[in-house]
Amino acid sequence: MMNSKYLRVVVGLALAIFAGVAAMEAKTRQGEKDFKAGQTAELKNDWDTAVTMYQKAVDEAPTELTYQIAMRRARFQAAQKHVEAGVKLRGENKIPEAVQEFQKAIVIDPSSSIAIQELKRTQQMLLDGVNSTDPNAAGLTATEKMRREETARVEAITGPPQLRPTLQRLPAAMKMNGSMPQTMYRTVASLGGLYVVFDPQYSYPAANKPFDVNLDNMTIEEAFDYLAFITHTFWKPISSNTIFVCEDSTTKRRDYEDEVTKVFYMPNASSVQEFQEIANAIRTVTEIRHLFTVNGGRALIVRATADQVALVEKLVHDLDKPKAEVIVDIMIMQANTTRSKQLAATIASGGTAGINVPLTFTPGGVAAANSTTTTTTSTSPTTTTTTLPGTTTTPSVTGAVALNQLGHISTANITTSSLPGALLEAMLTDTKTKVLNSPQVRASDGMKSELHVGLRIPYATGSLGSAVGATTVGVSPLVQTQFSFADTGVEVVIQPTVHSADELTMHVEITVSSVQQYENLGGGISQPVISQEKNITDVRMRNNEVSLLGGLNQTTDSNTLNGIPGLASIPVLGKFLFGSTSTEKDSDQIVIAMVPHIVRTPDYSPENLRGIFAGTDQNIKIVHAQIDKPLIIPTVAAPVAAAPPVAPTPVATAPQAVAAQAPVPFAVPPAAGVAGGARLSFLPNPIQAAQNGTFTLTLQLDGALDASSLGPVQIKFDPAQLHLSDAAAGDLLTRDGVRVTIAKDIRNDAGEASLTLTRLAGASGVSGSGAVATLTFNAVGKGTGTVSMTGATLANSQSQPLPVLLGSVPVTIE
């Protein structure tokens, strides 16, 4: 009865357990289905759906860590996606929609700090937008508004005042005799439509002294400089139409001379040391006290007079040049030959050349001095030994004989285990090994470049012993062995110095090493024996020149003679019949060749090489070349009735005519041809290059006036002689930091190319002279030809065409 009840209880428990397991399996299958659905949504970057499906999987199996991790990752990604969408909508001035996106991000991931921050900012923007009267402030956070205002203030900072006279040049016959300094300044200023302000303390002997001056055809600025020089005065512009004049002294300059602050960047300085060297050179030459360096940004901060800052700009432009670069092809050829020859014909035993007969003494048949008769009876499993009475027992010693029996020793007591045989052996081994390494290294001028090709071989450098192992049987005394690694293979170190486009000097270190063999030093450790060939040299080479840095030829001859002494020394037949000869020849040859290719040279333009006027020892003065501009006539505010044209009043040269103290307007009609034309040319001129070499042509623009775009420039050359490999923008159009785009169409098969350079839209034009493009040519054939420009278009910032003259350059390929 008890058994039946017990059986029913057991069956009931089993059914309950099976039902629970089935339910758990059903939940696990549903969770796995939701998990896979979340993975599918994740692959589609549908993070919202992924969060939903992963959450369902977690609800089905809360203890499953895989579901938990996937759900948390999806929440983070979904929240970030909504934050990014909110920021985008806010930038489009869709503030309410952005607030909704940030709120969704917080609902999905309440721990997202970035979503909470962006929501607060956007809500504040929503409140500020209701009360704001600035339409441009919509869609900006408070921080972005402050940054915009700061940027506007920075952009509003102006440089030193620039004079804008209405007349660029004085008349051809401009003379003043017996005139006072103040009168001369006011006269020149009135001709240019300018005003003069004198220092209230302008009173010293030279101020009341009359002068005779000749200002024929000078510009207004040149005339002021000339007057300042002869009258010992100092002038500066204080606005676009007014200048200030005072006595030229150290005190007055310190009080009135304006200073300029500017930041210069040197992106081509490859190291802090090089950047500091340039900064020290500039500080020494310009004697500027306020000059500071920022190593992190490779920037130079200067606060000095306008002329000193202009001199710094010139020096930075000349010194901060891209480094020359060289590609070096290195060929390391190694040939090893090992030849061994063995020849033997001799009487030999034991497998070796020569006579080798082992003899053994056996004292058989010799009566012992004392004998013992012993009878041994063996009955299994015991053995009984009986010794006769009246005798003594002497232990038997193998190979021993009594001294009184030496006379009875005969050949019967000597035995041998082998007799001499004959040996005939002939063997020839010839092993040849060739190794060719041809690495290529690219290095900048003055910078080291290293190349390692090979393996790192471990070798033991030391070991730590155990005091326990030294006294305990079965314990190894070697506890730990320390290893280092040796580089094998090819190691190349190159440091080039480029002298020109055709020559360079290279410091070269080449090491070729390999593992020759391993030596067992005990303790189960084998140490490598590394062979090494090293070449260190400084060599001056031409571009594309092949040079053998060094060769190592080593030959080793080894001859060995084995045989029977005396017989092996018999002339001619002895070493063949009674001995063996072994000959081995080892030959090791290494040849290292190097071919440099100059792929870049410093772009030194003529303006980098020419000297400039820099003032005196006490005062730095920079003179800028005057660029003729069209005459600008100020517009009249009120309409004026039309009147017949009146001839210009001639300039009087008498002192009485120029004694007026107030500025007098001086109107000059615009003259034809005042604006000078620009000119495009190639530098250097002419060009001589070697066949298969490269050279660079600089496209130089001189006399540019408000130039904003150039092109298309049509270039023509002989395709059988030259190929144009590349064209890059120069520094003239990018001198003020504005980005320039270049479009190039090179057709070497027809010998034609087209270049178009355009400054960023909306930027002002540039004036002056400089390189607008750099052309790199490959000399493919010998002969004489010409690179010419067949057409070009130059436009100013208003997209108006400017006149430009075109040039050409003769090219000779040898």
Side-chain angles (χ1 to χ4, degrees):
M1 193 67 178
M2 289 294 294
N3 293 336
S4 61
K5 290 181 178 180
Y6 179 75
L7 180 60
R8 285 197 297 272
V9 172
V10 172
V11 171
L13 290 175
L15 292 176
I17 292 174
F18 289 151
V21 171
M24 292 178 62
E25 290 180 354
K27 290 183 179 180
T28 302
R29 288 196 296 269
Q30 183 61 37
E32 190 67 21
K33 181 178 179 182
D34 295 335
F35 179 72
K36 291 183 178 179
Q39 287 180 325
T40 303
E42 182 178 342
L43 292 175
K44 298 178 181 179
N45 286 330
D46 187 2
W47 292 105
D48 292 340
T49 304
V51 169
T52 303
M53 302 311 298
Y54 286 147
Q55 186 63 52
K56 289 183 178 180
V58 171
D59 294 339
E60 291 290 337
T63 59
E64 182 62 39
L65 293 179
T66 305
Y67 300 167
Q68 293 277 359
I69 295 173
M71 183 267 293
R72 294 182 183 277
R73 183 181 68 252
R75 283 183 179 276
F76 173 79
Q77 294 292 344
Q80 286 295 112
K81 186 175 181 180
H82 284 288
V83 169
E84 294 173 359
V87 173
K88 182 178 180 181
L89 290 171
R90 189 175 63 191
E92 298 173 355
N93 201 18
K94 299 178 181 179
I95 307 300
E97 292 85 348
V99 171
Q100 294 178 2
E101 290 294 332
F102 294 136
Q103 290 175 343
K104 290 179 182 179
I106 296 175
V107 171
I108 294 175
D109 187 6
S111 63
S112 176
S113 300
I114 185 66
I116 297 174
Q117 293 175 0
E118 295 296 340
L119 178 61
K120 290 181 179 179
R121 294 174 183 171
T122 310
Q123 289 175 342
Q124 185 64 38
M125 291 171 56
L126 191 61
L127 296 176
D128 295 341
V130 176
N131 302 322
S132 177
T133 58
D134 184 6
N136 297 324
L140 297 178
T141 64
T143 304
E144 291 172 342
K145 290 179 182 178
M146 295 181 63
R147 289 178 178 174
R148 189 185 67 168
E149 293 174 358
E150 180 183 357
T151 302
R153 288 194 300 269
V154 172
E155 292 178 350
I157 297 176
T158 61
Q162 299 291 329
L163 282 182
R164 298 185 182 276
T166 57
L167 179 68
Q168 296 298 321
R169 290 190 177 275
L170 296 175
M174 182 64 187
K175 297 181 177 63
M176 288 182 285
N177 299 322
S179 300
M180 296 298 177
Q182 295 185 3
T183 302
M184 292 187 293
Y185 269 111
R186 287 193 173 101
T187 302
V188 174
S190 64
L191 293 175
L194 305 176
Y195 297 88
V196 182
V197 177
F198 288 92
D199 181 18
Q201 300 178 357
Y202 183 68
S203 177
Y204 66 105
N208 300 318
K209 177 182 177 181
F211 293 90
D212 298 333
V213 295
N214 186 350
L215 306 176
D216 294 349
N217 204 27
M218 286 188 183
T219 65
I220 299 296
E221 287 84 356
E222 290 174 347
F224 285 149
D225 289 339
Y226 181 75
L227 294 178
F229 177 76
I230 65 173
T231 61
H232 299 285
T233 54
F234 161 69
W235 74 275
K236 71 170 186 176
I238 57 177
S239 68
S240 61
N241 64 348
T242 305
I243 67 171
F244 174 81
V245 180
C246 67
E247 178 188 356
D248 188 5
S249 64
T250 304
T251 303
K252 293 297 182 180
R253 282 187 175 270
R254 184 176 61 248
D255 294 340
Y256 293 111
E257 192 169 19
D258 296 327
E259 290 191 346
V260 178
T261 300
K262 188 172 182 179
V263 179
F264 297 93
Y265 296 95
M266 302 182 189
N268 296 311
S270 56
S271 63
V272 175
Q273 179 182 358
E274 181 181 352
F275 170 64
Q276 288 292 341
E277 288 178 356
I278 297 177
N280 293 335
I282 293 175
R283 183 184 291 110
T284 303
V285 172
T286 60
E287 296 183 351
I288 296 178
R289 294 184 295 111
H290 303 292
L291 188 149
F292 306 94
T293 58
V294 181
N295 295 334
R298 286 175 293 180
L300 196 66
I301 304 175
V302 178
R303 181 174 178 266
T305 65
D307 289 320
Q308 288 177 317
V309 172
L311 181 58
V312 172
E313 184 175 13
K314 162 67 175 174
L315 296 176
V316 170
H317 179 261
D318 292 345
L319 296 176
D320 186 37
K321 292 289 185 178
K323 286 184 173 295
E325 289 185 307
V326 179
I327 291 181
V328 184
D329 292 326
I330 301 174
M331 289 167 285
I332 304 174
M333 295 160 284
Q334 182 176 3
N336 298 329
T337 302
T338 301
R339 176 174 297 179
S340 62
K341 181 176 62 175
Q342 296 181 359
L343 180 62
T346 183
I347 299 175
S349 63
T352 61
I355 298 176
N356 182 12
V357 179
L359 300 178
T360 304
F361 174 70
T362 304
V366 178
N370 296 312
S371 60
T372 302
T373 303
T374 303
T375 304
T376 303
T377 305
S378 299
T379 304
S380 180
T382 61
T383 302
T384 302
T385 302
T386 304
T387 303
L388 297 179
T391 62
T392 60
T393 304
T394 302
S396 176
V397 181
T398 304
V401 63
L403 294 178
N404 58 0
Q405 299 297 327
L406 292 178
H408 300 281
I409 296 176
S410 64
T411 56
N413 301 113
I414 306 299
T415 61
T416 181
S417 59
S418 63
L419 293 176
L423 173 65
L424 178 62
E425 181 181 10
M427 184 174 62
L428 177 65
T429 302
D430 191 354
T431 303
K432 294 182 179 180
T433 304
K434 293 182 179 180
V435 179
L436 176 62
N437 292 298
S438 56
Q440 190 178 73
V441 179
R442 181 163 183 161
S444 298
D445 183 25
M447 306 296 292
K448 277 190 177 182
S449 179
E450 299 183 8
L451 175 67
H452 297 270
V453 179
L455 301 175
R456 304 195 69 194
I457 306 300
Y459 63 92
T461 57
S463 61
L464 298 177
S466 172
V468 177
T471 58
T472 305
V473 179
V475 178
S476 174
L478 185 61
V479 175
Q480 182 180 2
T481 302
Q482 299 174 351
F483 289 91
S484 294
F485 291 86
D487 293 326
T488 61
V490 180
E491 179 180 355
V492 180
V493 179
I494 290 181
Q495 185 175 5
T497 301
V498 179
H499 305 298
S500 64
D502 298 324
E503 283 191 324
L504 73 159
T505 297
M506 289 194 299
H507 174 78
V508 184
E509 300 180 11
I510 298 181
T511 304
V512 181
S513 58
S514 61
V515 177
Q516 196 73 12
Q517 62 185 14
Y518 283 89
E519 292 289 345
N520 191 349
L521 302 181
I525 299 177
S526 296
Q527 294 285 73
V529 178
I530 299 176
S531 64
Q532 186 181 84
E533 290 83 21
K534 192 169 186 178
N535 187 293
I536 302 178
T537 184
D538 290 281
V539 57
R540 181 161 182 151
M541 305 174 61
R542 294 184 61 84
N543 188 29
N544 298 322
E545 179 183 356
V546 180
S547 176
L548 295 179
L549 296 183
L552 175 61
N553 299 325
Q554 181 177 358
T555 303
T556 303
D557 292 341
S558 177
N559 296 318
T560 304
L561 174 63
N562 295 322
I564 301 173
L567 297 179
S569 301
I570 298 175
V572 182
L573 298 179
K575 61 181 180 179
F576 294 107
L577 296 180
F578 304 102
S580 62
T581 59
S582 175
T583 303
E584 183 174 351
K585 291 185 178 182
D586 295 334
S587 177
D588 188 1
Q589 298 179 351
I590 297 179
V591 178
I592 302 173
M594 181 174 63
V595 183
H597 308 283
I598 300 175
V599 296
R600 184 198 298 273
T601 57
D603 185 17
Y604 295 123
S605 61
E607 64 182 14
N608 299 137
L609 304 178
R610 66 182 178 88
I612 61 172
F613 176 78
T616 64
D617 180 71
Q618 298 297 324
N619 298 313
I620 293 179
K621 176 66 176 177
I622 301 297
V623 178
H624 296 274
Q626 178 66 31
I627 302 174
D628 292 335
K629 299 180 181 179
L631 182 65
I632 301 175
I633 303 298
T635 58
V636 181
V640 180
V646 180
T649 303
V651 179
T653 59
Q656 295 80 4
V658 295
Q661 297 297 317
V664 179
F666 190 87
V668 178
V674 173
R679 183 170 63 91
L680 276 174
S681 60
F682 290 112
L683 296 176
N685 191 340
I687 286 291
Q688 289 185 348
Q691 188 179 7
N692 299 325
T694 60
F695 64 89
T696 302
L697 277 180
T698 299
L699 187 59
Q700 179 81 3
L701 177 61
D702 295 314
L705 179 62
D706 191 32
S708 180
S709 64
L710 175 64
V713 180
Q714 304 294 338
I715 301 175
K716 184 69 176 177
F717 53 90
D718 186 359
Q721 184 185 15
L722 302 174
H723 279 178
L724 179 60
S725 61
D726 193 14
D731 61 350
L732 176 61
L733 298 180
T734 61
R735 184 169 296 174
D736 54 354
V738 176
R739 184 170 57 88
V740 173
T741 59
I742 179 172
K744 48 192 174 183
D745 181 16
I746 301 175
R747 300 178 298 277
N748 284 318
D749 54 346
E752 298 176 349
S754 175
L755 302 178
T756 301
L757 298 100
T758 307
R759 287 167 59 86
L760 187 65
S764 60
V766 297
S767 301
S769 302
V772 293
T774 302
L775 311 178
T776 303
F777 283 91
N778 294 329
V780 297
K782 295 183 178 180
T784 302
T786 303
V787 178
S788 59
M789 286 175 281
T790 59
T793 302
L794 182 64
N796 59 14
S797 58
Q798 305 300 324
S799 299
Q800 298 173 346
L802 300 175
V804 60
L805 301 177
L806 306 180
S808 60
V809 56
V811 179
T812 302
I813 307 300
E814 300 175 350

